[in-house]
Amino acid sequence: QVQLVESGGGLVQAGGSLRLSCTASGSPFSVIVMGWFRQAPGKEREFVVDISRFSGSTSYAESVKGRFSILRDKAKNAVYLQMNSLKPEGTAVYYCAARSVSSRDFDSWGQGSQVTVSS
C-alpha cells in the first residue's frame, strides 16, 4: 500500500505560479507512474499530467501544456507540479496519484490540495 501526502496549493492571482508537492511512503518502490489530477467544482475529475518513475517520460493534458511541469525526485519518492501562468479555470482540488506495478490504473490517491486562481 502506498500513501501519498500532498502539500502546497492556496490562492493566487491569474498569471501567477504555484507549486504542489507529493511524497510517497509505505511501498514507494512498487510505484511505476505518478501523476496529478484535478477536479473543479461541479465537474468530473480530469487528468493533468503523469511521469514514469523509471524513464521519466511525461504526458500532459493539452490544457496545461507549456504552463505546467511535473518534476520528480527519486531519492525522496516525490513529485512536484509546477504551475505557471495560472488561469481562473485552473481553480480546482488537485490530487496526486500513483499507479503501482500490480495495477492497470492509478490506485493510490493523495488527500487533495485546493488551488484557487482569482481573476
Side-chain angles (χ1 to χ4, degrees):
Q1 185 106 25
V2 177
Q3 292 79 46
L4 302 175
V5 177
E6 303 176 30
S7 62
L11 174 64
V12 65
Q13 288 189 329
S17 298
L18 277 176
R19 190 180 199 188
L20 303 180
S21 301
C22 175
T23 302
S25 62
S27 301
F29 298 107
S30 67
V31 172
I32 57 174
V33 179
M34 292 188 74
W36 294 91
F37 289 71
R38 66 185 179 186
Q39 186 167 20
K43 294 189 176 182
E44 298 280 323
R45 184 168 60 192
E46 65 174 2
F47 169 81
V48 176
V49 60
D50 66 19
I51 184 167
S52 167
R53 180 171 177 267
F54 299 106
S55 70
S57 63
T58 58
S59 179
Y60 287 86
E62 284 296 326
S63 58
V64 305
K65 278 184 179 178
R67 299 185 299 115
F68 288 17
S69 298
I70 188 168
L71 309 167
R72 62 175 177 163
D73 186 330
K74 293 174 68 176
K76 295 182 178 180
N77 296 312
V79 292
Y80 308 93
L81 180 63
Q82 179 65 42
M83 303 181 287
N84 299 326
S85 302
L86 280 161
K87 303 176 181 180
E89 52 264 41
T91 294
V93 177
Y94 286 71
Y95 295 92
C96 178
R99 180 162 75 91
S100 63
V101 66
S102 60
S103 176
R104 300 178 70 176
D105 205 347
F106 289 93
D107 53 352
S108 297
W109 296 88
Q111 79 275 20
S113 299
Q114 177 68 49
V115 172
T116 302
V117 185
S118 64
S119 57

